[in-house]
Amino acid sequence: WGCAAVHFPAWVDARAPSKRKPLWLALLNVCLLGGILCGFAIGSAVSAPWTRLYLVEAGLMALAAVSAACFPAEIMDVARTGEAQRLLGAAAPQRPGLTKLRATLATPVVARTVGAGAFVCGTVGFVLYFIKQVAAREAPSWPTSLQTTAVSAVFVAAPIPGNLVGAYVVEKRIGGYDRLAPTLSFVSAAALGAVGCVALLPLAGPGRPWPFIALCWGFLFFGALPTPAINGVVLAASPRDAATIASGIQFAAQNLMKAIVPLVGGRVVDRVGLLLGFRSVLLACAAGYAAFALLARSAAADHVRRDPAPDDAPLEAPLCGDVA
């Protein structure tokens, strides 16, 4: 799955209509979230051993793989065409993968936007590990079934609408994620909204579940809101010949943080207690998310796309989007 996943955002960026790219990226994320939520729902409702559930999942993934293998190669190609190809030029050299990797990582907008997205994904992984324990402490008078239903409802009603609303804003209000500066301003605003929701969590307090649910909803919504923008900015700011590499960097960083944040966060919870540790880790991750988003926004004004030139020097292409 990991080998295939890096292809999807690059394919959307190369193949989707220019005005619909944010929506296509949002739908891709919604499908991923929907699959995860369906897995949680099925796993909690079915009494079959986990090995059988993995067998069912493997069969479904094999069916998807066989179906994907039947797609014509020209449909799946992510080679850039149109305006992007014109800017690259036919004389641009074919650079080695390591050179493209270095050029992508050396682009401040890319590196910082990847950092913002990685903090979001790491935080979601941490929340999934501890949310049921926290819900039991925040709503001790609720039966377990109601706690589970409330948690599930929040995970459905926050990140999925957040992705779709974020795509609408980038597509209709900003004019596409190629406009780096206004798109990253939107990402920064969403990050600050997430920080605000987490900062207010202590006001909920144990025994007051509804404020806790509302603030968790807000945090997850503001975390998901800029996801299409983050995915798109990384592709729009990276070298035009390194789309799949940029996508791979995103997925690698996000999945690495999904391991690091729960691991470190678990140690914090063990040290200071469940509720204080949960809130502290969320606040630290939200602050990291906001810091990287603001740093990416500040780098947009000086962004130069590191495309291949005949002498393999950075190509001074026009800035992607308004700076003001």
Side-chain angles (χ1 to χ4, degrees):
W1 179 84
C3 292
V6 301
H7 183 82
F8 301 148
W11 183 87
V12 168
D13 188 58
R15 291 288 181 172
S18 59
K19 294 183 178 180
R20 309 301 285 175
K21 290 180 181 181
L23 178 61
W24 283 34
L25 286 173
L27 292 175
L28 173 62
N29 288 314
V30 166
C31 288
L32 295 174
L33 289 168
I36 292 171
L37 293 173
C38 286
F40 279 118
I42 294 172
S44 62
V46 176
S47 58
W50 67 269
T51 51
R52 293 185 183 179
L53 294 176
Y54 266 120
L55 183 61
V56 172
E57 181 183 8
L60 293 173
M61 292 186 70
L63 180 62
V66 171
S67 300
C70 297
F71 294 155
E74 59 270 17
I75 293 178
M76 300 306 297
D77 186 14
V78 297
R80 305 297 185 105
T81 56
E83 181 69 8
Q85 188 62 41
R86 183 188 70 78
L87 288 172
L88 260 182
Q94 293 293 322
R95 298 189 291 182
L98 185 58
T99 301
K100 292 187 283 188
L101 175 63
R102 289 172 177 168
T104 304
L105 292 174
T107 304
V109 170
V110 174
R112 297 171 187 182
T113 305
V114 166
F119 266 103
V120 172
C121 289
T123 309
V124 171
F126 173 77
V127 170
L128 286 172
Y129 273 106
F130 290 97
I131 189 62
K132 289 193 69 176
Q133 301 175 48
V134 174
R137 292 284 297 276
E138 295 282 0
S141 62
W142 288 11
T144 303
S145 59
L146 183 56
Q147 294 172 5
T148 303
T149 300
V151 169
S152 301
V154 169
F155 271 91
V156 171
I160 292 178
N163 268 276
L164 296 175
V165 171
Y168 174 83
V169 172
V170 174
E171 185 178 297
K172 300 296 185 181
R173 302 299 181 184
I174 295 177
Y177 52 70
D178 285 339
R179 300 183 63 201
L180 297 185
T183 301
L184 289 169
S185 295
F186 168 65
V187 174
S188 300
L192 294 175
V195 171
C197 289
V198 177
L200 293 174
L201 273 179
L203 300 180
R208 302 179 62 190
W210 289 112
F212 171 76
I213 290 172
L215 291 171
C216 283
W217 181 92
F219 174 74
L220 292 173
F221 179 83
F222 283 119
L225 190 66
T227 301
I230 288 173
N231 293 341
V233 164
V234 170
L235 293 168
S238 64
R240 292 183 178 87
D241 63 339
T244 53
I245 289 178
S247 184
I249 291 171
Q250 283 197 89
F251 275 92
Q254 290 170 5
N255 284 285
L256 181 62
M257 287 296 281
K258 286 179 182 177
I260 292 175
V261 175
L263 181 62
V264 175
R267 297 293 297 272
V268 174
V269 168
D270 289 340
R271 180 68 62 89
V272 304
L274 178 61
L275 293 185
L276 178 59
F278 183 78
R279 295 165 184 167
S280 300
V281 173
L282 286 192
L283 185 59
C285 289
Y289 165 31
F292 273 101
L294 291 168
L295 288 171
R297 171 60 183 87
S298 68
D302 301 320
H303 173 65
V304 174
R305 204 167 191 174
R306 295 174 178 269
D307 288 330
D311 58 354
D312 204 23
L315 179 64
E316 295 284 344
L319 292 180
C320 296
D322 298 343
V323 174

